[in-house]
Amino acid sequence: MIIDTHLHPTNLVDEAWRHTGTPFNGERMLKLMDGPYMINGKPRRIDMGFIQPPPGNTGYRDGNRMGREGIRDYMAYIAELCQKYPDRFIGNFNYNPRWGPENGAAELEFHVKEYGFKMLKLHANMHGYRPDRALDWLRPAMKKCAELGVVVLIHTGDGPYTIPTMFYPIIREFPMVNFIIGHFGIQTGGNYSFESFWMAMDTPNVYCESGWCFQSRIVEFAKELPKHKIVFGTDSPPNEPGMWLRELEVLCHEPPHGLGLSEDDLEGYLGNNIAKLVGIDPTPPPRNLEEAKARLTDTYAGLRREPAPA
């Protein structure tokens, strides 16, 4: 199965990225996930995805409720989708410490126990704090992540506050928490992919998200990184998933464009690596065209997700 770590469905037009038209809601997201996308000659879909609100919709606006109620409001649509489509969507809690660090930690616990959330998102640029200095703002949520087994996804790739190494203090303080370097350290304002690569090489609890990485660079990085250290994530919308699936598929090609990766190892990047981090059973890739087509019509009722902590 294919699992996307980075999706942004919304029932509001995004207030920071200013996407035009109607909101990119959960049903539009499912249609996008369904593809199909051709991978090694077989039609595939994105079977499951970690969903979060666009970070621009998680700040304060006139008329918002405050504290925990305000956090619950901006997470409400994501919680609704996780209940409506539990076989496709997994909750990612967007943590904005400016609503109160303890409030955020309490709401993280609520969303994990009530709705089965398995991931937390940090976006220091959108929420305006230095992650290497604002440790007291991060510790309450990180303690909950350690307690509940929640994976942390970090927006990285642009200044002033999301350069990957700025998160080293909190990563080192919580070695029992798994951290994913979002966007492989790349955004429109910078390229910190080599920083991200070495962080993942040198630090057992650091992983890299594939999306946004340059195709030729990810060949270099995948050749050296342990096979479990890359996870698939598209940041969609605005990104279109097919191009990032293709980027990983190319790893199965022969050098210099690829590195002769096996389909089993590709399946690790596409979904099994993140599945193992959050307690979902890994699955093999489809062995032939007929099996791939059958999976597209399957309800995936056999996929087992571990229950949320009691």
Side-chain angles (χ1 to χ4, degrees), residues 72-129:
R72 197 166 297 189
D73 288 345
Y74 75 65
M75 291 303 306
Y77 185 60
I78 300 303
E80 175 188 329
L81 290 176
C82 289
Q83 295 174 88
K84 190 175 182 180
Y85 303 107
D87 60 331
R88 304 299 300 278
F89 291 145
I90 310 168
N92 183 354
F93 183 84
N94 202 303
Y95 176 74
N96 181 352
R98 290 189 174 275
W99 293 82
E102 295 294 343
N103 291 331
E107 280 302 304
L108 168 64
E109 181 174 20
F110 172 80
H111 283 76
V112 169
K113 293 183 175 180
E114 189 71 17
Y115 305 121
F117 279 34
K118 294 181 178 293
M119 189 176 286
L120 176 141
K121 172 70 174 292
L122 298 177
H123 199 313
N125 271 353
M126 194 69 73
H127 298 147
Y129 61 92

Short mmCIF file of all heavy atoms in Angstrom, two decimals, residues 72-129:
data_model
loop_
_atom_site.label_atom_id
_atom_site.label_comp_id
_atom_site.label_asym_id
_atom_site.label_seq_id
_atom_site.Cartn_x
_atom_site.Cartn_y
_atom_site.Cartn_z
N ARG A 72 -9.35 23.06 19.05
CA ARG A 72 -10.31 22.04 18.63
C ARG A 72 -11.09 22.50 17.41
O ARG A 72 -11.43 21.70 16.53
CB ARG A 72 -11.24 21.69 19.78
CG ARG A 72 -11.96 20.37 19.57
CD ARG A 72 -12.61 19.85 20.83
NE ARG A 72 -11.64 19.56 21.89
CZ ARG A 72 -11.94 18.94 23.02
NH1 ARG A 72 -13.20 18.56 23.25
NH2 ARG A 72 -11.02 18.71 23.93
N ASP A 73 -11.35 23.80 17.32
CA ASP A 73 -12.06 24.33 16.16
C ASP A 73 -11.24 24.17 14.89
O ASP A 73 -11.75 23.74 13.85
CB ASP A 73 -12.40 25.80 16.38
CG ASP A 73 -13.51 26.01 17.40
OD1 ASP A 73 -14.21 25.04 17.73
OD2 ASP A 73 -13.66 27.16 17.86
N TYR A 74 -9.93 24.53 14.93
CA TYR A 74 -9.17 24.45 13.69
C TYR A 74 -8.82 23.02 13.31
O TYR A 74 -8.49 22.74 12.14
CB TYR A 74 -7.94 25.37 13.69
CG TYR A 74 -6.71 25.01 14.50
CD1 TYR A 74 -5.95 23.88 14.21
CD2 TYR A 74 -6.25 25.85 15.52
CE1 TYR A 74 -4.80 23.57 14.92
CE2 TYR A 74 -5.10 25.56 16.24
CZ TYR A 74 -4.37 24.42 15.93
OH TYR A 74 -3.23 24.13 16.64
N MET A 75 -8.92 22.07 14.26
CA MET A 75 -8.71 20.66 13.94
C MET A 75 -10.01 19.92 13.65
O MET A 75 -9.98 18.74 13.29
CB MET A 75 -7.99 19.97 15.11
CG MET A 75 -6.55 20.39 15.34
SD MET A 75 -5.46 20.16 13.90
CE MET A 75 -5.72 18.45 13.49
N ALA A 76 -11.15 20.58 13.76
CA ALA A 76 -12.44 19.90 13.72
C ALA A 76 -12.68 19.18 12.38
O ALA A 76 -13.17 18.04 12.37
CB ALA A 76 -13.57 20.89 13.99
N TYR A 77 -12.37 19.83 11.28
CA TYR A 77 -12.66 19.19 10.00
C TYR A 77 -11.78 17.96 9.77
O TYR A 77 -12.24 16.95 9.21
CB TYR A 77 -12.46 20.19 8.86
CG TYR A 77 -12.87 19.64 7.50
CD1 TYR A 77 -14.18 19.22 7.27
CD2 TYR A 77 -11.94 19.53 6.46
CE1 TYR A 77 -14.56 18.72 6.03
CE2 TYR A 77 -12.31 19.02 5.23
CZ TYR A 77 -13.62 18.62 5.01
OH TYR A 77 -13.99 18.11 3.78
N ILE A 78 -10.54 18.01 10.23
CA ILE A 78 -9.65 16.85 10.10
C ILE A 78 -10.18 15.69 10.95
O ILE A 78 -10.21 14.54 10.51
CB ILE A 78 -8.22 17.22 10.52
CG1 ILE A 78 -7.67 18.34 9.63
CG2 ILE A 78 -7.31 16.00 10.48
CD1 ILE A 78 -7.66 18.02 8.15
N ALA A 79 -10.63 16.00 12.17
CA ALA A 79 -11.21 14.96 13.01
C ALA A 79 -12.45 14.36 12.36
O ALA A 79 -12.67 13.14 12.39
CB ALA A 79 -11.55 15.54 14.38
N GLU A 80 -13.25 15.21 11.74
CA GLU A 80 -14.46 14.74 11.05
C GLU A 80 -14.11 13.78 9.92
O GLU A 80 -14.74 12.72 9.76
CB GLU A 80 -15.23 15.94 10.52
CG GLU A 80 -16.45 15.59 9.67
CD GLU A 80 -17.06 16.82 9.02
OE1 GLU A 80 -16.98 17.92 9.60
OE2 GLU A 80 -17.61 16.68 7.90
N LEU A 81 -13.11 14.13 9.12
CA LEU A 81 -12.72 13.27 8.00
C LEU A 81 -12.15 11.94 8.47
O LEU A 81 -12.39 10.90 7.84
CB LEU A 81 -11.70 13.99 7.12
CG LEU A 81 -12.21 15.18 6.30
CD1 LEU A 81 -11.05 15.84 5.56
CD2 LEU A 81 -13.28 14.74 5.31
N CYS A 82 -11.40 11.96 9.57
CA CYS A 82 -10.84 10.71 10.09
C CYS A 82 -11.93 9.76 10.57
O CYS A 82 -11.76 8.54 10.49
CB CYS A 82 -9.85 11.02 11.21
SG CYS A 82 -8.31 11.78 10.65
N GLN A 83 -13.02 10.31 11.06
CA GLN A 83 -14.15 9.47 11.45
C GLN A 83 -14.96 9.00 10.25
O GLN A 83 -15.47 7.88 10.23
CB GLN A 83 -15.07 10.26 12.40
CG GLN A 83 -14.43 10.62 13.73
CD GLN A 83 -15.33 11.51 14.56
OE1 GLN A 83 -16.17 11.03 15.33
NE2 GLN A 83 -15.18 12.81 14.40
N LYS A 84 -15.07 9.86 9.25
CA LYS A 84 -15.88 9.54 8.07
C LYS A 84 -15.19 8.54 7.16
O LYS A 84 -15.84 7.68 6.54
CB LYS A 84 -16.18 10.83 7.31
CG LYS A 84 -17.20 10.69 6.19
CD LYS A 84 -17.51 12.07 5.59
CE LYS A 84 -18.57 11.98 4.50
NZ LYS A 84 -18.87 13.32 3.91
N TYR A 85 -13.86 8.63 7.05
CA TYR A 85 -13.09 7.76 6.14
C TYR A 85 -11.92 7.13 6.89
O TYR A 85 -10.75 7.37 6.58
CB TYR A 85 -12.57 8.57 4.95
CG TYR A 85 -13.63 9.29 4.16
CD1 TYR A 85 -13.77 10.68 4.25
CD2 TYR A 85 -14.50 8.60 3.31
CE1 TYR A 85 -14.74 11.36 3.52
CE2 TYR A 85 -15.47 9.26 2.57
CZ TYR A 85 -15.60 10.64 2.69
OH TYR A 85 -16.55 11.30 1.96
N PRO A 86 -12.19 6.30 7.90
CA PRO A 86 -11.11 5.78 8.74
C PRO A 86 -10.17 4.84 8.01
O PRO A 86 -9.05 4.60 8.47
CB PRO A 86 -11.86 5.05 9.87
CG PRO A 86 -13.18 4.69 9.25
CD PRO A 86 -13.53 5.81 8.32
N ASP A 87 -10.61 4.28 6.88
CA ASP A 87 -9.73 3.39 6.12
C ASP A 87 -8.82 4.14 5.17
O ASP A 87 -7.94 3.53 4.55
CB ASP A 87 -10.57 2.37 5.33
CG ASP A 87 -11.52 3.03 4.35
OD1 ASP A 87 -11.95 4.17 4.61
OD2 ASP A 87 -11.85 2.40 3.32
N ARG A 88 -8.99 5.46 5.05
CA ARG A 88 -8.17 6.24 4.12
C ARG A 88 -7.38 7.35 4.80
O ARG A 88 -6.28 7.68 4.35
CB ARG A 88 -9.06 6.88 3.03
CG ARG A 88 -9.92 5.92 2.22
CD ARG A 88 -9.12 4.89 1.45
NE ARG A 88 -8.19 5.46 0.49
CZ ARG A 88 -8.53 5.86 -0.75
NH1 ARG A 88 -9.79 5.78 -1.15
NH2 ARG A 88 -7.61 6.34 -1.56
N PHE A 89 -7.93 7.96 5.84
CA PHE A 89 -7.30 9.12 6.46
C PHE A 89 -6.83 8.82 7.89
O PHE A 89 -7.55 8.17 8.66
CB PHE A 89 -8.27 10.29 6.51
CG PHE A 89 -8.61 10.90 5.18
CD1 PHE A 89 -9.88 11.39 4.93
CD2 PHE A 89 -7.65 11.00 4.18
CE1 PHE A 89 -10.20 11.97 3.71
CE2 PHE A 89 -7.96 11.58 2.95
CZ PHE A 89 -9.24 12.06 2.71
N ILE A 90 -5.65 9.32 8.22
CA ILE A 90 -5.09 9.25 9.57
C ILE A 90 -4.78 10.68 10.00
O ILE A 90 -4.21 11.46 9.24
CB ILE A 90 -3.79 8.41 9.61
CG1 ILE A 90 -3.99 7.07 8.91
CG2 ILE A 90 -3.33 8.21 11.05
CD1 ILE A 90 -2.69 6.32 8.66
N GLY A 91 -5.14 11.02 11.23
CA GLY A 91 -5.00 12.39 11.68
C GLY A 91 -3.57 12.79 12.00
O GLY A 91 -2.80 12.04 12.61
N ASN A 92 -3.22 14.03 11.59
CA ASN A 92 -1.95 14.67 11.92
C ASN A 92 -2.30 15.97 12.64
O ASN A 92 -2.89 16.88 12.05
CB ASN A 92 -1.15 14.94 10.65
CG ASN A 92 0.22 15.55 10.92
OD1 ASN A 92 0.55 15.90 12.04
ND2 ASN A 92 1.01 15.71 9.86
N PHE A 93 -1.92 16.06 13.90
CA PHE A 93 -2.29 17.20 14.74
C PHE A 93 -1.36 18.37 14.49
O PHE A 93 -0.15 18.28 14.72
CB PHE A 93 -2.24 16.80 16.22
CG PHE A 93 -2.66 17.88 17.17
CD1 PHE A 93 -3.99 18.09 17.46
CD2 PHE A 93 -1.70 18.69 17.78
CE1 PHE A 93 -4.38 19.11 18.34
CE2 PHE A 93 -2.07 19.69 18.65
CZ PHE A 93 -3.42 19.90 18.94
N ASN A 94 -1.89 19.48 13.98
CA ASN A 94 -1.08 20.66 13.70
C ASN A 94 -0.92 21.47 14.99
O ASN A 94 -1.87 22.05 15.49
CB ASN A 94 -1.75 21.50 12.61
CG ASN A 94 -0.77 22.41 11.91
OD1 ASN A 94 -0.11 23.22 12.55
ND2 ASN A 94 -0.68 22.29 10.58
N TYR A 95 0.32 21.48 15.51
CA TYR A 95 0.60 22.05 16.83
C TYR A 95 1.10 23.49 16.68
O TYR A 95 2.18 23.74 16.14
CB TYR A 95 1.66 21.20 17.54
CG TYR A 95 2.12 21.73 18.88
CD1 TYR A 95 1.31 21.66 20.00
CD2 TYR A 95 3.40 22.28 19.01
CE1 TYR A 95 1.75 22.13 21.23
CE2 TYR A 95 3.84 22.75 20.24
CZ TYR A 95 3.01 22.68 21.34
OH TYR A 95 3.46 23.14 22.56
N ASN A 96 0.29 24.43 17.15
CA ASN A 96 0.67 25.84 17.18
C ASN A 96 0.82 26.26 18.63
O ASN A 96 -0.17 26.46 19.34
CB ASN A 96 -0.41 26.69 16.49
CG ASN A 96 -0.04 28.17 16.46
OD1 ASN A 96 0.94 28.60 17.07
ND2 ASN A 96 -0.84 28.96 15.74
N PRO A 97 2.07 26.40 19.12
CA PRO A 97 2.27 26.69 20.54
C PRO A 97 1.73 28.05 20.97
O PRO A 97 1.60 28.30 22.18
CB PRO A 97 3.79 26.60 20.72
CG PRO A 97 4.35 26.87 19.37
CD PRO A 97 3.36 26.28 18.40
N ARG A 98 1.41 28.91 20.03
CA ARG A 98 0.89 30.23 20.40
C ARG A 98 -0.54 30.17 20.94
O ARG A 98 -1.04 31.16 21.48
CB ARG A 98 0.99 31.19 19.21
CG ARG A 98 2.43 31.55 18.90
CD ARG A 98 2.56 32.65 17.87
NE ARG A 98 3.95 33.06 17.69
CZ ARG A 98 4.56 33.95 18.46
NH1 ARG A 98 3.92 34.54 19.44
NH2 ARG A 98 5.84 34.27 18.24
N TRP A 99 -1.17 29.02 20.83
CA TRP A 99 -2.45 28.82 21.50
C TRP A 99 -2.26 28.34 22.94
O TRP A 99 -3.24 28.07 23.64
CB TRP A 99 -3.30 27.81 20.72
CG TRP A 99 -3.74 28.30 19.38
CD1 TRP A 99 -3.02 28.30 18.23
CD2 TRP A 99 -5.00 28.91 19.06
NE1 TRP A 99 -3.76 28.84 17.21
CE2 TRP A 99 -4.98 29.23 17.69
CE3 TRP A 99 -6.15 29.20 19.80
CZ2 TRP A 99 -6.05 29.83 17.03
CZ3 TRP A 99 -7.22 29.79 19.15
CH2 TRP A 99 -7.17 30.11 17.79
N GLY A 100 -1.01 28.22 23.34
CA GLY A 100 -0.66 27.74 24.68
C GLY A 100 -0.06 26.36 24.60
O GLY A 100 -0.74 25.43 24.18
N PRO A 101 1.23 26.19 24.96
CA PRO A 101 1.86 24.88 24.86
C PRO A 101 1.13 23.77 25.60
O PRO A 101 0.97 22.67 25.07
CB PRO A 101 3.26 25.13 25.44
CG PRO A 101 3.51 26.58 25.21
CD PRO A 101 2.18 27.25 25.38
N GLU A 102 0.68 24.06 26.82
CA GLU A 102 -0.03 23.03 27.57
C GLU A 102 -1.39 22.73 26.95
O GLU A 102 -1.86 21.58 26.95
CB GLU A 102 -0.20 23.46 29.03
CG GLU A 102 1.12 23.60 29.79
CD GLU A 102 1.86 22.28 29.97
OE1 GLU A 102 1.23 21.21 29.79
OE2 GLU A 102 3.07 22.32 30.29
N ASN A 103 -2.04 23.76 26.41
CA ASN A 103 -3.30 23.54 25.71
C ASN A 103 -3.09 22.63 24.50
O ASN A 103 -3.88 21.70 24.26
CB ASN A 103 -3.90 24.87 25.24
CG ASN A 103 -4.38 25.74 26.38
OD1 ASN A 103 -4.78 25.24 27.43
ND2 ASN A 103 -4.36 27.05 26.18
N GLY A 104 -2.03 22.91 23.75
CA GLY A 104 -1.75 22.08 22.58
C GLY A 104 -1.45 20.65 22.94
O GLY A 104 -1.90 19.72 22.28
N ALA A 105 -0.67 20.44 24.01
CA ALA A 105 -0.34 19.08 24.45
C ALA A 105 -1.60 18.34 24.88
O ALA A 105 -1.77 17.15 24.57
CB ALA A 105 0.68 19.14 25.58
N ALA A 106 -2.48 19.02 25.58
CA ALA A 106 -3.73 18.39 26.03
C ALA A 106 -4.61 18.02 24.85
O ALA A 106 -5.24 16.95 24.83
CB ALA A 106 -4.47 19.31 26.99
N GLU A 107 -4.67 18.91 23.85
CA GLU A 107 -5.49 18.62 22.68
C GLU A 107 -4.88 17.53 21.82
O GLU A 107 -5.60 16.74 21.20
CB GLU A 107 -5.72 19.89 21.86
CG GLU A 107 -6.81 20.79 22.43
CD GLU A 107 -8.15 20.07 22.55
OE1 GLU A 107 -8.64 19.54 21.53
OE2 GLU A 107 -8.70 20.03 23.67
N LEU A 108 -3.56 17.46 21.77
CA LEU A 108 -2.91 16.34 21.08
C LEU A 108 -3.36 15.03 21.70
O LEU A 108 -3.78 14.10 21.00
CB LEU A 108 -1.40 16.47 21.16
CG LEU A 108 -0.60 15.23 20.74
CD1 LEU A 108 -0.83 14.90 19.27
CD2 LEU A 108 0.88 15.41 21.03
N GLU A 109 -3.28 14.94 23.02
CA GLU A 109 -3.70 13.71 23.70
C GLU A 109 -5.16 13.40 23.40
O GLU A 109 -5.52 12.24 23.14
CB GLU A 109 -3.47 13.83 25.20
CG GLU A 109 -3.86 12.58 25.97
CD GLU A 109 -3.49 12.65 27.44
OE1 GLU A 109 -3.30 13.79 27.95
OE2 GLU A 109 -3.39 11.58 28.08
N PHE A 110 -6.01 14.41 23.43
CA PHE A 110 -7.43 14.21 23.14
C PHE A 110 -7.62 13.64 21.74
O PHE A 110 -8.38 12.68 21.53
CB PHE A 110 -8.20 15.53 23.28
CG PHE A 110 -9.62 15.47 22.81
CD1 PHE A 110 -10.61 14.92 23.62
CD2 PHE A 110 -9.98 15.93 21.55
CE1 PHE A 110 -11.93 14.85 23.18
CE2 PHE A 110 -11.29 15.88 21.11
CZ PHE A 110 -12.27 15.34 21.93
N HIS A 111 -6.93 14.21 20.75
CA HIS A 111 -7.12 13.76 19.38
C HIS A 111 -6.53 12.37 19.14
O HIS A 111 -7.07 11.60 18.33
CB HIS A 111 -6.51 14.78 18.41
CG HIS A 111 -7.35 16.00 18.21
ND1 HIS A 111 -7.44 17.01 19.15
CD2 HIS A 111 -8.18 16.37 17.20
CE1 HIS A 111 -8.27 17.94 18.73
NE2 HIS A 111 -8.72 17.59 17.55
N VAL A 112 -5.47 12.03 19.84
CA VAL A 112 -4.93 10.67 19.73
C VAL A 112 -5.92 9.65 20.31
O VAL A 112 -6.23 8.63 19.68
CB VAL A 112 -3.57 10.57 20.45
CG1 VAL A 112 -3.12 9.12 20.57
CG2 VAL A 112 -2.51 11.39 19.71
N LYS A 113 -6.42 9.94 21.48
CA LYS A 113 -7.29 8.97 22.16
C LYS A 113 -8.71 8.94 21.59
O LYS A 113 -9.35 7.89 21.56
CB LYS A 113 -7.32 9.27 23.65
CG LYS A 113 -5.97 9.03 24.33
CD LYS A 113 -6.02 9.26 25.82
CE LYS A 113 -4.70 8.90 26.49
NZ LYS A 113 -4.72 9.12 27.96
N GLU A 114 -9.19 10.08 21.12
CA GLU A 114 -10.57 10.16 20.63
C GLU A 114 -10.67 9.77 19.16
O GLU A 114 -11.64 9.12 18.75
CB GLU A 114 -11.10 11.58 20.83
CG GLU A 114 -12.58 11.73 20.56
CD GLU A 114 -13.47 11.09 21.63
OE1 GLU A 114 -12.95 10.80 22.73
OE2 GLU A 114 -14.67 10.88 21.36
N TYR A 115 -9.69 10.15 18.35
CA TYR A 115 -9.80 9.98 16.90
C TYR A 115 -8.67 9.16 16.29
O TYR A 115 -8.62 9.01 15.07
CB TYR A 115 -9.84 11.35 16.21
CG TYR A 115 -10.92 12.27 16.74
CD1 TYR A 115 -10.60 13.51 17.29
CD2 TYR A 115 -12.26 11.90 16.69
CE1 TYR A 115 -11.59 14.36 17.78
CE2 TYR A 115 -13.26 12.73 17.17
CZ TYR A 115 -12.92 13.96 17.71
OH TYR A 115 -13.89 14.79 18.20
N GLY A 116 -7.76 8.65 17.10
CA GLY A 116 -6.70 7.80 16.58
C GLY A 116 -5.59 8.51 15.83
O GLY A 116 -4.90 7.90 15.02
N PHE A 117 -5.38 9.81 16.09
CA PHE A 117 -4.29 10.54 15.44
C PHE A 117 -2.96 9.87 15.77
O PHE A 117 -2.75 9.36 16.87
CB PHE A 117 -4.25 12.00 15.92
CG PHE A 117 -5.24 12.91 15.24
CD1 PHE A 117 -6.50 12.47 14.84
CD2 PHE A 117 -4.91 14.24 15.01
CE1 PHE A 117 -7.40 13.32 14.23
CE2 PHE A 117 -5.81 15.10 14.40
CZ PHE A 117 -7.06 14.64 13.99
N LYS A 118 -2.04 9.90 14.80
CA LYS A 118 -0.75 9.23 14.97
C LYS A 118 0.45 10.12 14.65
O LYS A 118 1.59 9.66 14.67
CB LYS A 118 -0.70 7.97 14.10
CG LYS A 118 -1.68 6.89 14.52
CD LYS A 118 -1.58 5.66 13.63
CE LYS A 118 -2.54 4.56 14.08
NZ LYS A 118 -2.18 4.00 15.38
N MET A 119 0.20 11.39 14.34
CA MET A 119 1.29 12.27 13.93
C MET A 119 1.03 13.67 14.45
O MET A 119 -0.12 14.07 14.68
CB MET A 119 1.43 12.27 12.40
CG MET A 119 2.65 12.98 11.86
SD MET A 119 2.79 12.81 10.05
CE MET A 119 3.33 11.09 9.91
N LEU A 120 2.11 14.45 14.64
CA LEU A 120 2.04 15.85 15.02
C LEU A 120 2.89 16.65 14.05
O LEU A 120 3.98 16.22 13.66
CB LEU A 120 2.53 16.05 16.45
CG LEU A 120 2.62 17.50 16.96
CD1 LEU A 120 2.17 17.59 18.41
CD2 LEU A 120 4.05 18.04 16.83
N LYS A 121 2.41 17.83 13.66
CA LYS A 121 3.12 18.70 12.71
C LYS A 121 3.63 19.95 13.42
O LYS A 121 2.91 20.60 14.18
CB LYS A 121 2.16 19.11 11.59
CG LYS A 121 2.69 20.17 10.62
CD LYS A 121 3.81 19.64 9.74
CE LYS A 121 4.22 20.67 8.69
NZ LYS A 121 3.18 20.91 7.68
N LEU A 122 4.90 20.29 13.14
CA LEU A 122 5.49 21.54 13.59
C LEU A 122 5.75 22.43 12.37
O LEU A 122 6.32 21.97 11.38
CB LEU A 122 6.82 21.29 14.31
CG LEU A 122 6.78 20.46 15.60
CD1 LEU A 122 8.20 20.27 16.12
CD2 LEU A 122 5.90 21.10 16.65
N HIS A 123 5.33 23.70 12.46
CA HIS A 123 5.59 24.66 11.38
C HIS A 123 6.01 25.98 12.03
O HIS A 123 5.22 26.88 12.25
CB HIS A 123 4.34 24.87 10.53
CG HIS A 123 4.63 25.46 9.17
ND1 HIS A 123 5.45 26.55 9.00
CD2 HIS A 123 4.21 25.09 7.93
CE1 HIS A 123 5.50 26.84 7.71
NE2 HIS A 123 4.77 25.97 7.04
N ALA A 124 7.31 26.07 12.35
CA ALA A 124 7.82 27.21 13.11
C ALA A 124 7.74 28.52 12.34
O ALA A 124 7.61 29.59 12.94
CB ALA A 124 9.26 26.94 13.55
N ASN A 125 7.83 28.48 11.01
CA ASN A 125 7.70 29.71 10.24
C ASN A 125 6.28 30.25 10.29
O ASN A 125 6.05 31.44 10.54
CB ASN A 125 8.12 29.49 8.79
CG ASN A 125 9.60 29.72 8.57
OD1 ASN A 125 10.31 30.17 9.47
ND2 ASN A 125 10.09 29.40 7.39
N MET A 126 5.31 29.40 10.02
CA MET A 126 3.93 29.85 10.00
C MET A 126 3.47 30.32 11.38
O MET A 126 2.65 31.24 11.48
CB MET A 126 3.02 28.72 9.49
CG MET A 126 1.63 29.17 9.10
SD MET A 126 1.61 30.21 7.62
CE MET A 126 1.92 29.00 6.33
N HIS A 127 4.02 29.72 12.42
CA HIS A 127 3.58 30.04 13.79
C HIS A 127 4.55 30.97 14.52
O HIS A 127 4.29 31.34 15.65
CB HIS A 127 3.35 28.74 14.57
CG HIS A 127 2.28 27.89 13.96
ND1 HIS A 127 2.31 26.51 14.00
CD2 HIS A 127 1.14 28.22 13.29
CE1 HIS A 127 1.24 26.03 13.38
NE2 HIS A 127 0.53 27.05 12.95
N GLY A 128 5.67 31.30 13.90
CA GLY A 128 6.52 32.37 14.38
C GLY A 128 7.29 32.12 15.67
O GLY A 128 7.12 32.83 16.64
N TYR A 129 8.19 31.11 15.66
CA TYR A 129 9.05 30.90 16.82
C TYR A 129 10.35 30.23 16.37
O TYR A 129 10.39 29.54 15.36
CB TYR A 129 8.36 30.05 17.88
CG TYR A 129 7.98 28.65 17.43
CD1 TYR A 129 8.84 27.57 17.61
CD2 TYR A 129 6.74 28.39 16.84
CE1 TYR A 129 8.49 26.28 17.21
CE2 TYR A 129 6.38 27.11 16.44
CZ TYR A 129 7.26 26.07 16.62
OH TYR A 129 6.91 24.80 16.21
#
